[in-house]
Amino acid sequence: MKANYDKVAPFYDILSKLAFNRSQLLGQIEQLKYLKPNHSLLICGGGSGIILDEISMIIPRGLKIVYLDSSQKMIEIAKTRNRGSNIIEFVCQDILDFETDKSFDIIITSFFFDNFPENKAICVFTKLDNLLVNNGLWFQNDFTLSSNKGIWWKSIMLKIMYLFFNLTSNLGNYKLVEMESVFDAHSYVLIEKNWYFKNFIVSLTYRKVLQ
């Protein structure tokens, strides 16, 4: 059985704010300065869609967005967000089942890869890489243990989160995959990196540059 966030969808944002204040959102907001009208975006695992409110305030029209999430309840909440005059196609599907003939200027994966064991995370990365245009941008946000500061409490928090989401959402994963090395091994140039919540959350903005 695949992971499903339907049960936690109604209170997911409340949990996030209680645990991390706005830290999960701050890095995503900072990255939006790279958006331009007429960009095409693929948002993967967008959850309840709070980022759509932020996008519409910066670029209220002209964007074409494919919004992908495997939870129908999350999609229903995301549809209530402010989209301005931007065109949004909502798709309720697992990323590995997702098929499209479109390519995208920007891919957004926020707290997405932490859902997958390493082998599946690599498969997902490869699939998304094929959908991103050359010189396209990839906004990656996630938890990280790459900083040695407070690694003990970060490890405990991760274990609690994985236990919770395995019990409530059938996550099927218990270990965080650090994706920086994957991006570094492929045709990506890091153009901005920011830390949040005492270096427990990292925001990475990459540009795809084919050699």
Side-chain angles (χ1 to χ4, degrees), residues 74-126:
M74 289 290 197
I75 290 287
E76 290 172 5
I77 297 172
K79 286 181 177 179
T80 68
R81 302 292 186 179
N82 182 16
R83 67 185 75 178
S85 298
N86 294 313
I87 298 172
I88 305 181
E89 177 187 356
F90 292 95
V91 180
C92 184
Q93 202 168 31
D94 184 279
I95 179 59
L96 291 180
D97 297 326
F98 175 64
E99 297 293 340
T100 182
D101 56 1
K102 299 176 182 177
S103 57
F104 299 91
D105 301 305
I106 294 175
I107 288 177
I108 300 177
T109 50
S110 295
F111 306 93
F112 180 64
F113 282 107
D114 56 20
N115 287 271
F116 309 120
E118 185 173 6
N119 61 336
K120 187 172 181 179
I122 298 301
C123 291
V124 170
F125 175 89
T126 300

Side-chain angles (χ1 to χ4, degrees), residues 1-2 11-12 21 24 55 105 114 123 132 134 142 155 187:
M1 186 181 296
K2 295 180 179 179
F11 53 88
Y12 181 88
N21 199 358
Q24 283 189 282
I55 289 174
D105 301 305
D114 56 20
C123 291
L132 185 63
N134 188 30
D142 218 330
S155 298
S187 302

